[in-house]
Amino acid sequence: MTLDGITEQADVDDDAPSTVVFDVGEVLIDETRVWGVWADLLGVSRLTFASVLGAAIVQGEGLQAVFDHLAPNLEWRSFEQEHEDRYGGFREEDLYPDVRRCLEDLVSLGFSVVIAGNQPTRRRTQLEALGLPHDAMAMSEELGVAKPDPVFFDRVLELAGNDEPEELLYVGDRTDNDVAPAAAAGLRTCWLRRGPWGQLQDLPETAAEPDLVLEGLGELATLLTTWRGETT
Ligand SMILES: [Mg+2]
């Protein structure tokens, strides 16, 4: 695990964030099943799909680029309902194994926990059914705006009931959708380097350095407590 950034922040106790906001995909939820179902829908092996998705990510492209390569002339949104029917929504097995403990620890340590990612509204119900500790939760569809739009982060502040962006830490796996726009909106940032985007993306040269760079959530509660100037 890398702990880049914490040494600069460890003794700045009154600057420590009081609210931790979690992205959903590849932060809370392992999306392996999501992409596996897309591979099945397109009739290619999961390895092939994952390889083409990785190439699209490196080239700064989205899911449509994967379709354009594997199934020319098809528009991914026309398969969205069929994908959802096969996928069936989030399950306990989709949670990264460090998630539940991290959220429980943060709540018990007095941090406010918010969940807000680029997802359809139905994902909130699915996440609520998993019983994750949290103080507030909303998906981009119900907020009416998606990352990287700066208005998304205004909505996150409203959701958190906190108008001081530097008191929020946004935890995300993507530099383009999470780390860069959250920092631009004045939030503290934690870049979680897991999943396809977390592994493959680089930080844009113009983006502020994240406050934390982690490979998992196992150390987050301890790091934030240290940042707050306390010992665990
Ligand atoms: Mg994500």
Side-chain angles (χ1 to χ4, degrees):
M1 171 169 291
T2 53
L3 303 179
D4 307 9
I6 189 63
T7 51
E8 300 157 38
Q9 301 292 344
D11 56 355
V12 191
D13 55 327
D14 55 358
D15 263 357
S18 57
T19 295
V20 186
V21 187
F22 291 91
D23 173 37
V24 176
E26 293 303 331
V27 170
L28 305 181
I29 296 290
D30 178 337
E31 294 182 319
T32 299
R33 280 201 314 116
V34 171
W35 301 113
V37 171
W38 279 118
D40 298 347
L41 273 170
L42 292 182
V44 299
S45 75
R46 294 182 172 204
L47 173 62
T48 300
F49 187 94
S51 302
V52 176
L53 175 64
I57 290 169
V58 168
Q59 292 168 20
E61 304 280 359
L63 181 56
Q64 187 56 49
V66 179
F67 266 67
D68 290 345
H69 188 86
L70 295 173
N73 306 316
L74 295 182
E75 208 275 319
W76 77 268
R77 288 197 180 278
S78 62
F79 290 85
E80 201 172 7
Q81 187 58 54
E82 188 174 353
H83 179 276
E84 184 64 16
D85 292 344
R86 292 195 193 193
Y87 178 61
F90 295 156
R91 301 175 188 161
E92 181 74 25
E93 72 198 60
D94 299 319
L95 284 176
Y96 272 105
D98 53 16
V99 168
R100 192 173 292 280
R101 173 70 185 274
C102 174
L103 269 56
E104 288 171 355
D105 286 351
L106 289 172
V107 168
S108 70
L109 289 164
F111 292 96
S112 180
V113 171
V114 174
I115 299 172
N118 276 1
Q119 297 284 337
T121 301
R122 61 181 177 273
R123 298 286 184 239
R124 178 162 57 82
T125 311
Q126 295 164 6
L127 281 168
E128 284 171 345
L130 297 178
L132 295 174
H134 66 282
D135 297 283
M137 170 160 37
M139 302 297 113
S140 56
E141 186 182 42
E142 57 191 316
L143 293 172
V145 60
K147 297 174 289 185
D149 191 321
V151 176
F152 176 91
F153 297 96
D154 294 339
R155 297 276 187 277
V156 166
L157 289 173
E158 293 168 13
L159 187 63
N162 190 330
D163 57 8
E164 302 289 344
E166 68 276 13
E167 292 183 8
L168 276 66
L169 178 78
Y170 194 84
V171 184
D173 60 303
R174 292 179 59 150
T175 58
D176 56 346
N177 272 1
D178 302 319
V179 176
L187 282 72
R188 303 308 184 104
T189 59
C190 173
W191 184 14
L192 194 59
R193 301 211 64 177
R194 70 179 172 195
W197 287 265
Q199 292 284 350
L200 290 170
Q201 286 188 319
D202 292 318
L203 193 67
E205 287 183 9
T206 54
E209 284 292 316
D211 295 277
L212 298 172
V213 180
L214 301 177
E215 294 171 2
L217 295 176
E219 303 289 329
L220 183 59
T222 300
L223 290 172
L224 286 173
T225 306
T226 306
W227 189 347
R228 206 161 59 175
E230 301 165 14
T231 53
T232 49

